[in-house]
Amino acid sequence: MNGSKIKTFIFASIITFFTISLIIYPQAALEASLRGLKMWWEVVFPSLLPFFIVSELLIGFGVVAFIGVLFEPLMRPIFKVPGVGGFVLAMGMASGYPSGAKLTARLRQEKQISAIEAERLVSFTNSSNPLFIFGAIAVGFFHNPKIGILLALAHYLGNITVGVIMRFHEYSHPVDENKNNSSKKLTIRHAFNALHETRAKNSKPLGKMLGDAVSSSVQTLLMIGGFIIIFSVLNNILALVQITDIIATFVTIFLVLLSFSTDLSIPLISGFFEITLGAKLTSEVTTASLKEQVILTSFFLAFCGLSVHAQVASILAETDIRFKPFFFARIIHAFIAGIYAYLLWSPLNEKLGGFEEEGDSPVFAPLKDLTWIEKVYETITIYGPFITLLFLWIYTWILYRNWRPNMK
């Protein structure tokens, strides 16, 4: 058998095994599906949608080209990517996975960056957003907002470090300097010229541009929702058939070498598939110290889970951007973020008055005021489903409007 037939046999066997498992454990599969759907319905869709829509409009109106000219002196020397990478980096940090991949693919489709530059850019612009780090993990799971500061610093510093490392990816590749980003035109006037030229090329009226932005964003989020649900089910199925326990025996060796509690093996494997469940299980391991829990959470938060990897692979498949550099960068980021969390623990623990102090007191206690990040997270979980339902209705209406003329 050649390599292609072996790959076909392996994939067919995995899908068959997964299908049989769903038939044997229908109730567990349903519960896992509902858990994934709830997270997408309440938090993921309403928190990502505004960023996706605004990003599409900023690209269409030429604002990204404007930013690209101004950021060229910063992004090119440090990360060896065009100035528009600064926009992708900022939006990726603000909105979270997989915004960096979506925006990078969009810029590649617009031919504002080369394929190699896109591979460098996507490797360090996909990160978790502050709302998830502070709201879901630090507050929701660890009941300690101070933990969010440590996780955020380790996460974002790690991403920047990965960007510097990945500048050497395909280093011999010739630099494709865009005429709007050449060193002779790094002025506000030329930045405005780039904005105007980009807007002039896009002759779509505002209504059409807005409709396309909503349609494209909702389609991407529907795809993301599907991956969240399927990996939630997969994670649960693997635990039920005890495959997770088998893998845990090998992971335990790695944890012993680090002098970590072996009870963290199951949470680490869960985090390898899906971040949210991994962080929740990690925070519940009482035999591990808080420092061990935070370092491990920082590790798989940077790796971002196979669920996000599948989302990014699906987005990049629409372009000529290869997925392997992204996967390699996530592995690097996971170890670097874990090291940063270890190094930052002592100075931040002293600076913030101790991480352990707030661990025993639930943050949502009635006598304790909510911080702004907790209020934002709580508001999204309450009103998120209404936002999701509203935009799904708008998306359906846009599809109907586009479908009706084609039927005439």
Side-chain angles (χ1 to χ4, degrees):
M1 295 178 68
N2 56 34
S4 178
K5 290 182 179 179
I6 293 175
K7 185 183 295 185
T8 300
F9 175 76
I10 292 174
F11 285 142
S13 300
I14 293 173
I15 295 301
T16 302
F17 169 77
F18 186 56
T19 304
I20 294 174
S21 300
L22 289 177
I23 296 172
I24 297 175
Y25 303 104
Q27 183 62 32
L30 176 62
E31 292 173 357
S33 296
L34 291 176
R35 184 170 61 245
L37 178 63
K38 184 174 184 290
M39 182 172 64
W40 176 80
W41 178 268
E42 290 184 351
V43 179
V44 175
F45 190 102
S47 61
L48 286 184
L49 182 67
F51 289 98
F52 281 4
I53 295 176
V54 169
S55 299
E56 290 284 343
L57 294 176
L58 289 175
I59 293 173
F61 280 109
V63 177
V64 175
F66 173 85
I67 295 173
V69 175
L70 298 181
F71 275 74
E72 184 74 11
L74 175 66
M75 301 301 293
R76 181 71 68 180
I78 299 177
F79 304 111
K80 207 178 179 184
V81 296
V84 291
F87 167 78
V88 180
L89 177 61
M91 294 299 289
M93 291 176 63
S95 54
Y97 307 116
S99 301
K102 177 176 171 57
L103 294 176
T104 301
R106 185 77 168 82
L107 292 177
R108 178 57 187 152
Q109 291 167 348
E110 294 281 326
K111 300 189 184 302
Q112 296 191 37
I113 55 177
S114 68
I116 299 301
E117 290 170 341
E119 289 171 4
R120 294 177 190 144
L121 184 61
V122 77
S123 67
F124 71 96
T125 55
N126 279 275
S127 57
S128 184
N129 64 22
L131 182 64
F132 180 74
I133 294 176
F134 284 90
I137 296 182
V139 173
F141 299 148
F142 286 97
H143 305 296
N144 189 340
K146 294 179 181 179
I147 295 298
I149 299 174
L150 175 60
L151 288 174
L153 282 174
H155 190 70
Y156 297 129
L157 286 175
N159 236 3
I160 298 299
T161 305
V162 169
V164 175
I165 295 173
M166 290 301 292
R167 79 186 302 277
F168 299 101
H169 167 64
E170 299 285 351
Y171 194 78
S172 59
H173 186 268
V175 178
D176 183 20
E177 296 275 2
N178 186 287
K179 65 179 181 179
N180 291 328
N181 293 336
S182 63
S183 59
K184 297 180 180 179
K185 298 186 176 183
L186 300 180
T187 64
I188 294 293
R189 182 171 64 86
H190 289 99
F192 274 109
N193 287 340
L195 185 152
H196 175 69
E197 290 173 5
T198 304
R199 177 67 188 102
K201 292 177 183 177
N202 194 341
S203 57
K204 293 180 183 179
L206 177 60
K208 173 65 174 173
M209 193 178 296
L210 181 60
D212 289 347
V214 172
S215 179
S216 174
S217 300
V218 173
Q219 284 180 12
T220 302
L221 285 167
L222 288 173
M223 177 270 294
I224 292 172
F227 278 118
I228 291 174
I229 293 171
I230 197 67
F231 273 90
S232 178
V233 174
L234 178 61
N235 203 357
N236 207 23
I237 291 295
L238 290 176
L240 287 172
V241 299
Q242 297 184 337
I243 290 181
T244 302
D245 294 332
I246 296 173
I247 301 174
T249 58
F250 298 97
V251 175
T252 300
I253 300 175
F254 172 71
L255 293 174
V256 169
L257 292 175
L258 296 176
S259 299
F260 279 22
S261 171
T262 55
D263 291 337
L264 291 170
S265 57
I266 298 296
L268 177 58
I269 297 170
S270 298
F272 182 74
F273 283 94
E274 210 284 313
I275 308 169
T276 308
L277 180 60
K280 183 177 184 298
L281 294 177
T282 301
S283 67
E284 295 172 351
V285 178
T286 56
T287 57
S289 67
L290 182 60
K291 183 178 181 180
E292 293 175 0
Q293 292 174 322
V294 171
I295 292 174
L296 191 70
T297 302
S298 181
F299 178 87
F300 58 67
L301 184 66
F303 181 73
C304 72
L306 292 181
S307 175
V308 175
H309 282 250
Q311 297 167 29
V312 171
S314 178
I315 293 171
L316 298 185
E318 300 176 0
T319 68
D320 57 353
I321 305 172
R322 293 173 296 180
F323 173 73
K324 287 183 180 179
F326 171 83
F327 183 77
F328 176 71
R330 291 305 90 211
I331 296 175
I332 296 175
H333 188 199
F335 284 98
I336 290 177
I339 293 172
Y340 273 135
Y342 173 80
L343 295 176
L344 291 172
W345 176 270
S346 295
L348 286 180
N349 188 48
E350 182 179 348
K351 187 75 173 178
L352 298 175
F355 289 118
E356 306 278 358
E357 293 180 359
E358 298 190 20
D360 298 329
S361 177
V363 174
F364 293 111
L367 299 179
K368 189 169 183 178
D369 293 335
L370 299 177
T371 62
W372 70 270
I373 195 73
E374 297 168 52
K375 292 178 181 178
V376 171
Y377 186 77
E378 189 179 64
T379 301
I380 288 180
T381 57
I382 294 174
Y383 297 104
F386 299 102
I387 298 173
T388 303
L389 188 62
L390 171 64
F391 276 92
L392 287 177
W393 182 88
I394 294 174
Y395 173 68
T396 305
W397 177 75
I398 292 173
L399 286 182
Y400 173 73
R401 286 283 299 266
N402 293 336
W403 167 79
R404 191 170 61 177
N406 295 330
M407 296 298 295
K408 295 181 180 179

